[in-house]
Amino acid sequence: MRNPTVPDFSGSYVRYNTPLAPLVTWGVGGAARMMFVPRTEDELAGAVSWIHSNGEDFFVLGGGSNVLISDAAFEIPVINTVKMSAITVRRSGDTAYMDCLAGTPMKEVLALSLKNGWSGLECAAGIPGTVGGAIAGNAGSKAGSVGASVESVVTLEPDGSRTVWSGSEINWGYRSCSLFEGEKRIAQSVTFRTTSSSKDEAARLAAETMRGRKFQPVSSRTAGCVFKNPPGNSAGKLLDMSGCKGISVGGARVSESHANFIENHCGSARDILSLALLCRKKVLMKFGTHLDFEVKIAGIWEAWPDVGE
Ligand SMILES: Cc1cc2nc3c(=O)[nH]c(=O)nc-3n(C[C@H](O)[C@H](O)[C@H](O)COP(=O)(O)OP(=O)(O)OC[C@H]3O[C@@H](n4cnc5c(N)ncnc54)[C@H](O)[C@@H]3O)c2cc1C
């Protein structure tokens, strides 16, 4: 950190030397030297303004279900959104708009829509994490992705100014959202648009999405799919056919039931990254296909583990 000035905030939403491992689903990662845990939009704006005026970079952490954080201490401030959780509903004819703060768990948004028979977000059934993380990675399943149901997003720019984006002006790609590509901004809130359907039909679609997860190892520490599917192919299939299932590095092991999931059994972030790179190399050597990471790799890595790539 270039300027270690202690912020003068009246509320105690700033924490120091906070371990990040308990905040991520893989259960690994060093401590954040400084972490903001805003509860409101104003506290979030306060955190961003302080970071901006101190010339700092920052990292946004939602539910931690799609990140690999290095074992070393996290030097730049972390903004953890999980305490910013609220949903407000507005109706207009058959359409229900759900205004959600960025840290709202996606499962709560889905539960509310299923309870009311509102359709549109069934593709998110079973996806852990927050609303902010879901739109940053355009999370989804075979049934679709959340971006298709986004009416608008409010972001905070690094200088603390707010921007409102219409969902239709955002480029939603496969596990990507143009708002956050190469841009340091934070989703503050998201409005989802859903349509009145029947409760049974919405529940049926969500159950169908859940059935697609039958091979996912849900009782182990994972972060979902490690790699994105290459065009026209399945990363899990390529990893499986390259002999990755069950191989391990330290405490990290490739799931026996889904080759694109790495389970952490008391290993380190370095174990997980080493294993992921080894798997990627196996696929490259067998099929000539390069796999891109779906999980976001964050923190300080002195050097990436050498697997002879
Ligand atoms: C068992 C399991 C199953 C999964 N299944 C799926 C699946 O089917 N489909 C799928 O797409 N994913 C899946 N995932 C991955 C993960 O749950 C999703 O990507 C989820 O949407 C990530 O949300 P998060 O809040 O945990 O984000 P985090 O992991 O905290 O962050 C992910 C990225 O989003 C950024 N981010 C988070 N919040 C914000 C914000 N407010 N503003 C800007 N950027 C932000 C972070 O900086 C980071 O780059 C699965 C994970 C697990 C553990």
Side-chain angles (χ1 to χ4, degrees):
M1 234 179 271
R2 282 191 297 276
N3 183 346
T5 316
V6 176
D8 177 23
F9 293 118
S10 48
S12 62
Y13 65 100
V14 189
R15 298 176 191 169
Y16 298 93
N17 299 319
T18 303
L20 293 174
L23 306 179
V24 303
T25 54
W26 254 326
V28 295
R33 293 236 188 276
M34 181 181 193
M35 183 165 80
F36 294 87
V37 192
R39 294 154 295 195
T40 63
E41 287 136 304
D42 285 347
E43 287 186 352
L44 178 65
V48 171
S49 298
W50 183 87
I51 290 168
H52 181 63
S53 59
N54 282 272
E56 299 274 1
D57 193 4
F58 61 87
F59 179 74
V60 190
L61 182 66
S65 62
N66 202 28
V67 285
L68 177 59
I69 293 180
S70 66
D71 301 306
F74 214 101
E75 293 292 336
I76 59 172
V78 172
I79 300 178
N80 184 0
T81 60
V82 291
K83 291 251 190 282
M84 290 183 62
S85 178
I87 308 175
T88 312
V89 174
R90 292 176 286 125
R91 296 297 306 266
S92 172
D94 275 352
T95 307
Y97 297 99
M98 289 184 279
D99 302 323
C100 310
L101 289 184
T104 310
M106 241 354 262
K107 72 171 185 206
E108 285 184 16
V109 183
L110 179 64
L112 182 64
S113 57
L114 293 182
K115 188 175 140 201
N116 289 285
W118 301 332
S119 188
L121 287 170
E122 296 88 343
C123 63
I127 300 181
T130 62
V131 162
I135 65 144
N138 193 17
S141 58
K142 280 188 186 143
S145 303
V146 295
S149 297
V150 171
E151 176 69 12
S152 59
V153 179
V154 179
T155 59
L156 270 188
E157 306 304 311
D159 64 2
S161 60
R162 285 194 173 91
T163 312
V164 183
W165 307 83
S166 153
S168 57
E169 69 180 301
I170 299 168
N171 189 4
W172 300 99
Y174 165 56
R175 301 294 168 264
S176 74
C177 167
S178 55
L179 288 183
F180 307 102
E181 276 163 13
E183 302 292 339
K184 264 289 168 204
R185 55 167 68 102
I186 305 184
Q188 172 184 287
S189 60
V190 178
T191 299
F192 289 110
R193 182 189 54 251
T194 53
T195 316
S196 285
S197 167
S198 79
K199 286 185 194 178
D200 286 351
E201 179 57 8
R204 189 190 65 74
L205 289 172
E208 203 171 295
T209 302
M210 288 306 286
R211 272 196 295 281
R213 301 182 171 281
K214 64 181 170 193
F215 296 114
Q216 294 184 358
V218 284
S219 54
S220 308
R221 282 189 167 277
T222 72
C225 288
V226 175
F227 297 105
K228 293 184 183 184
N229 290 325
N233 217 326
S234 150
K237 210 162 110 191
L238 293 174
L239 289 156
D240 189 5
M241 291 194 295
S242 303
C244 293
K245 271 187 181 169
I247 66 170
S248 60
V249 172
R253 187 170 71 215
V254 177
S255 164
E256 292 280 4
S257 56
H258 194 314
N260 204 5
F261 276 61
I262 290 183
E263 303 168 355
N264 177 28
H265 299 277
C266 301
S268 63
R270 198 169 179 81
D271 290 346
I272 294 170
L273 184 59
S274 304
L275 181 57
L277 292 175
L278 184 64
C279 291
R280 185 163 81 165
K281 184 181 165 196
K282 280 175 172 284
V283 170
L284 187 63
M285 288 177 73
K286 187 162 174 81
F287 295 104
T289 304
H290 173 83
L291 297 179
D292 287 325
F293 278 99
E294 181 172 324
V295 294
K296 311 294 176 304
I297 298 176
I300 297 174
W301 301 80
E302 271 178 18
W304 276 32
D306 182 9
V307 292
E309 276 191 304

